[in-house]
Amino acid sequence: MQTSISNEVESVLQSHKHKYRKRLFNYLKALPFWLLIISFIMIILGMTLSVFFSAFGTEWFGTFLPEGYTFEWMKRAWVAYDIGSYYKITLKIVGVATIISLILSIPSAYVLARKQFPFKDALIGFYQLPFTLPELVYAIPIASIFYSIGLAETIPGLIIVNLIIGIPFSVFILIPFIESLDPRLEWAAQSLGANKWRMFTRIVFPQLIPGITAAAINIFIRMFSTFIIILLISGPKTQTLPVMVFSVLSSAGNQPPPMLDALALTLMFPLLLFAFISLWLSSLTQRRLGQ
């Protein structure tokens, strides 16, 4: 009896040891991957903090942190580079392009999510072109066309260019949201006499508000940071903030590094802010959809 009990105890102990060794082996196997991810995050975070401390530090020579902090470099950069006017131009272009992209992409996404028709896959492939092709492949021909028809270096031209990026991006964000909606609500509304417009505005659109919000923020970030195609067709009076920052940093000369870092932060801050908002909205939407 005692021998049987001791054998069972020994068997349980061996089983626990085997599970512990297997778990330890899995941890050690994944360790290089996690070390690589942590190292990458630390490098990105270190560079970001370095720019931040340089932009707001009074003096930073040979110490771990600056000796003091000031907003002077940010003020000087804002005045010297006329950042306010570039913000106005960028927000005007991106804001209008975001609204137009949403207006045009919502019905397109609904049709792609709900309907079956010939050449649907070809149309989806067409929408995917801005993601699959390098930006220069379509940026150079578009810039050539815009200069030939007089749309280059104009606000309407820059808005149209942003639509090439905003509409496909918005469509592919909205399609999963539309597919997650229960079509029986739409059938019920139509069976009660609602036309397609009323069914869409009363049933579909209210349920799509989280998706529309997520799409708006994501395409706003995407278009705000668009660089190559805007660089090719923007002029001195229509430069967006990213193009202006690149122009200044590429010809910095003898300008103080802290002021250049302050200039870089004026571009980083809105992008980081909207990125965090986008992540929060995505997390909130996934919890509500039960995914």
Side-chain angles (χ1 to χ4, degrees), residues 133-281:
L133 293 176
E135 193 172 351
L136 275 176
V137 172
Y138 59 88
I140 294 176
I142 289 174
S144 177
I145 293 172
F146 274 38
Y147 274 104
S148 63
I149 62 178
L151 279 175
E153 301 185 10
T154 65
I155 297 296
L158 293 175
I159 292 173
I160 294 172
V161 161
N162 277 289
L163 296 180
I164 298 172
I165 301 167
I167 292 176
F169 203 75
S170 179
V171 165
F172 283 102
I173 292 175
L174 290 171
I175 285 177
F177 283 93
I178 296 173
E179 290 176 341
S180 68
L181 302 181
D182 190 350
R184 290 175 296 181
L185 295 174
E186 301 167 36
W187 300 337
Q190 289 179 328
S191 67
L192 293 173
N195 58 32
K196 291 184 178 180
W197 172 252
R198 177 167 290 188
M199 180 271 296
F200 186 83
T201 56
R202 296 290 182 87
I203 304 298
V204 177
F205 187 80
Q207 298 180 84
L208 272 183
I209 289 177
I212 293 171
T213 305
I217 293 174
N218 278 279
I219 63 177
F220 184 92
I221 296 172
R222 184 97 175 181
M223 292 187 291
F224 191 94
S225 59
T226 301
F227 175 70
I228 294 178
I229 194 168
I230 302 298
L231 176 66
L232 292 177
I233 69 167
S234 63
K237 296 182 179 180
T238 56
Q239 281 188 350
T240 59
L241 186 62
V243 175
M244 184 275 289
V245 171
F246 170 78
S247 301
V248 173
L249 294 179
S250 61
S251 57
N254 297 323
Q255 299 180 64
M259 195 162 72
L260 297 175
D261 291 332
L263 174 64
L265 284 181
T266 61
L267 178 60
M268 292 169 58
F269 276 148
L271 294 178
L272 290 174
L273 174 63
F274 281 101
F276 282 124
I277 294 174
S278 175
L279 291 173
W280 176 76
L281 280 175

Side-chain angles (χ1 to χ4, degrees), residues 42-57 60 63-66 69 73 257-262 264-265 268:
M42 293 301 294
I43 291 172
I44 298 299
L45 185 61
M47 291 189 295
T48 304
L49 290 176
S50 175
V51 173
F52 181 84
F53 286 130
S54 175
F56 291 103
W60 195 9
T63 57
F64 182 72
L65 292 174
Y69 299 94
W73 295 116
M259 195 162 72
L260 297 175
D261 291 332
L265 284 181
M268 292 169 58

Side-chain angles (χ1 to χ4, degrees), residues 5-80:
I5 294 174
S6 63
N7 288 337
E8 290 180 4
V9 171
E10 186 177 353
S11 176
V12 171
L13 291 175
Q14 290 293 334
S15 176
H16 281 295
K17 287 182 180 179
H18 177 71
K19 291 180 180 178
Y20 174 77
R21 289 174 182 172
K22 186 176 181 180
R23 189 178 302 171
L24 181 62
F25 175 76
N26 289 334
Y27 285 151
L28 292 175
K29 187 178 179 181
L31 185 60
F33 171 78
W34 286 109
L35 287 176
L36 182 63
I37 294 297
I38 292 172
S39 299
F40 176 77
I41 293 174
M42 293 301 294
I43 291 172
I44 298 299
L45 185 61
M47 291 189 295
T48 304
L49 290 176
S50 175
V51 173
F52 181 84
F53 286 130
S54 175
F56 291 103
T58 52
E59 293 184 1
W60 195 9
F61 301 104
T63 57
F64 182 72
L65 292 174
E67 297 180 4
Y69 299 94
T70 179
F71 283 98
E72 185 62 29
W73 295 116
M74 186 66 70
K75 294 177 182 178
R76 290 175 60 181
W78 193 276
V79 173

